[in-house]
Structure formats: C-alpha cells, structure tokens
Amino acid sequence: MTFRDFMARALSDPTGGYYTRNARIGFSRGDFYTAPELSPAFALLLSRQIVEIDAVLGHPNEFYLMETGPGNGTLMRDLLVSLRLSAPQLALRVRPILYEISPVLVEKQKEKLSSLSFDRPPEWIRPGELSGRDPIDGVILGNEFLDALPAHRLRRTRDSFSEIYIEEDGSGKFIEVEGELSSSSLTEGVHSTAWDYPEGFEWEVQADLCSILEELYHSLGKGCMLWIDYGDTARERVSPKREKGSLMGYRKHALVEDVTQADPGSVDMTVHVDFPLLARKATMLGMRLEGFSDQMHYLMNLGIEEWLGDEQFSPEEKAAMVTLIHPLRMGEAFKVMLLSKGIDHRVGWKGFPREPLPL
C-alpha cells in the first residue's frame, strides 16, 4: 500500500485508528499538546483576528465559525468565551461548526462546550459532508489540522521519481519498499515543484490537503481561512535538514523515529505542512493570500507582548505565553496563513506585517 494509505489507516481506521479511537491530546496523559492547551492567550489573540474579519465582511447576520480538527474543543470554547467578553454583538451572531472525524474527540468537544449556553448550538460535521449545503460566510480555521492529513512519500532519483510503499514482511512487521509512482499527478500540476528537490531527497506530497481545501473552499461563500501549523517554506523544504522528509510520530510527548515499527493506531503521525502548496492550491481555486507569517510575529502583531508585562498574570502564565512565541519553541516552527474569498479590497490585517514571510 502507499504510505498515504498506511498513514490514513493508522490515524483514521474506524476500529483502531489513532484519532478515531485513541486520540490523547494534553499534558498529563497525552501524546502531544497544542497551543490552545498551553495558554488561553492563544484563543484571546485569535479572537481579535476574527473580530476584524467580521468587520471586513460587514457584520453578517450569521457569522459562521468553523474549526477543522478541533481536538479536545479547547480552542473553540475559548474563542466563544473571548468573543462574548470582547465582542458581545458578534458572539450573538456566531454559528459554531466543528469539522471532525473522530467520535472519541467529538465526545470530548461536546463535554468541553457543555458549560456554555447557546442561542445557536454547535454543529458537528464530518469531512465529506459539506457538499450540498448552502455556502457560509465567516471563518474556517485550523490549528494543527493540516499536519495530520495522510501524505504520500516520494524520493528523487537522478532524472525521475519513486514512491515509498509499506508492505508486511514474513514476520508480520511493516517495511518500506520503493516503487513507481502510484499516480503521475503526484509530480504534476500543483505538485510540479517535485523537480525542485535535489537528487536523493525524500519528501511528503500532501494530496489530501488539496482535496480537503477544495471541499472547504466550496463551502465558504465569503470570508477567510486561517491556518496555523508547523510547516515549511519552499526554501526550508529543500534544506539539508529535510533530506529525509518531515514525517514524525509522537507518543507520550516523545518522538517516535520509525512510525512503521510502532503498533498502528498507537502513535500520532504528522508531517510538516507544505505552505507553498497550500498557497498555490488556494490561488488556483480563486482565493487570495492575505498574509503569511511565523507564529511569533503573528501573535506579537496581535498584541501578546502587552500581556507579558501585565502583573495580573502569574510567572507560569507568562512562561506559557513565551512558549507560544519563542523562536526555539513554537514561534518560528509554526506558520500562520490567512486566505480570503469574496473580499474585493485589500485589507491591512492586524496579525500580519506589510511584507509576508517569503513562501
């Protein structure tokens, strides 16, 4: 099977996939943590961007807030609470949608949101269920969602390409084997930058990212997509540190070097998001790139520094905020991309500098 199919089964198989059955997000008994679990400041700052998007859209009667891959539900809960405090008129118009495949996480999200009262209750939608619905106006956002989408793995030879497959050996263990491309489309069209990789390099082709983005694009009438994830620019993707690609596994906050040797479904598998691919696909669909930054500068532009000097926050709370922006922690590895649809005029968005980070 292609590595893409192996990764999809390991993460999303209905009976034993990591996200469908075992997803563990958080500190004490989790395999990994995310920015919303680290500090509520993350959601408070993102709410400032959401308020700005609502104003640019002209304050629609129904403002849809769709989160893809909402994890434990922490970010959605904190965003809704923050909007109630800082923008109560917007909060009354918000329609929350949680785009989720995992029944385990849906239950966690429902529990997390159960303490809030709603005039417009949250709606849960699985990937693939958006077709046929009326387009929505508002924001589609994802924090550490795109990195978990299954990906093909390719290797560059002198004048061609090969694909990495997974097979079972005689003892029942999974091994990697090399073969011809499962589809020529993996190096054509939106993926034609395959020729930029040096000979011997391995990398991930995130074809599922393109199909998910297309589904979400058609569901959005007018508004923005906001993507936050660890990922690479084009220059980073061909740097020596990426010679073997970016595939990683995590279990109990420890790095799993060889995910093929772990029990399928027991490890969180991720790849660094190909942000140049995301921008190319979005542009092909008709969206406009509004901003691209690392998380450090994005959160600083939204005002995180004003809280670091505020005495009402404890040293522990400030340390968590610093982790969000420190260049050796989450500040530089994580990137932020804002895309728009149906917004005719240029906007000087709060979170982004005048000149975007080079893709």
Side-chain angles (χ1 to χ4, degrees), residues 269-285:
M269 292 186 202
T270 76
V271 299
H272 275 55
V273 174
D274 185 345
F275 276 100
L277 170 65
L278 178 59
R280 288 196 305 276
K281 181 63 178 179
T283 302
M284 288 180 180
L285 289 170

Side-chain angles (χ1 to χ4, degrees), residues 9 62 88 110 155 184 201 212 231 289:
R9 292 184 185 182
E62 292 185 318
K110 289 181 177 179
R155 182 177 289 126
S184 61
F201 259 61
I212 289 284
L289 176 63

Side-chain angles (χ1 to χ4, degrees), residues 136-250:
I136 62 174
D137 294 342
V139 176
I140 298 173
L141 65 89
N143 178 67
E144 293 199 50
F145 167 69
L146 298 177
D147 66 86
L149 297 178
H152 295 264
R153 292 175 62 204
L154 269 59
R155 182 177 289 126
R156 172 77 188 273
T157 58
R158 177 175 296 179
D159 55 3
S160 187
F161 307 98
S162 60
E163 186 165 359
I164 297 172
Y165 293 80
I166 301 295
E167 291 183 355
E168 281 192 58
D169 64 12
S171 65
K173 292 184 178 181
F174 291 109
I175 58 172
E176 294 183 1
V177 295
E178 208 167 326
E180 296 182 354
L181 297 183
S182 59
S183 171
S184 61
S185 65
L186 297 176
T187 58
E188 297 173 349
V190 74
H191 302 297
S192 61
T193 53
W195 292 102
D196 295 339
Y197 291 93
E199 182 179 347
F201 259 61
E202 297 175 9
W203 71 97
E204 298 83 25
V205 177
Q206 296 173 296
D208 282 51
L209 179 154
C210 293
S211 58
I212 289 284
L213 186 68
E214 191 160 349
E215 180 191 17
L216 295 171
Y217 169 80
H218 290 298
S219 75
L220 182 65
K222 185 177 182 181
C224 292
M225 294 187 190
L226 181 65
W227 300 108
I228 306 171
D229 223 314
Y230 45 88
D232 293 331
T233 63
R235 182 175 181 179
E236 289 168 332
R237 291 186 68 80
V238 297
S239 65
K241 69 177 181 178
R242 288 285 179 259
E243 186 176 7
K244 295 299 180 182
S246 66
L247 174 68
M248 298 182 295
Y250 286 99

Side-chain angles (χ1 to χ4, degrees), residues 65-68 70 73 76 96-100 109 113 122-126:
L65 178 59
M66 181 190 299
E67 184 182 0
T68 60
M76 179 61 82
I97 299 178
L98 296 93
Y99 184 85
E100 180 60 74
Q109 293 155 15
L113 297 179
E123 181 181 3
W124 276 264
I125 295 178
R126 290 175 58 86

Side-chain angles (χ1 to χ4, degrees), residues 56-70:
V56 170
L57 294 180
H59 311 291
N61 291 331
E62 292 185 318
F63 183 93
Y64 285 85
L65 178 59
M66 181 190 299
E67 184 182 0
T68 60

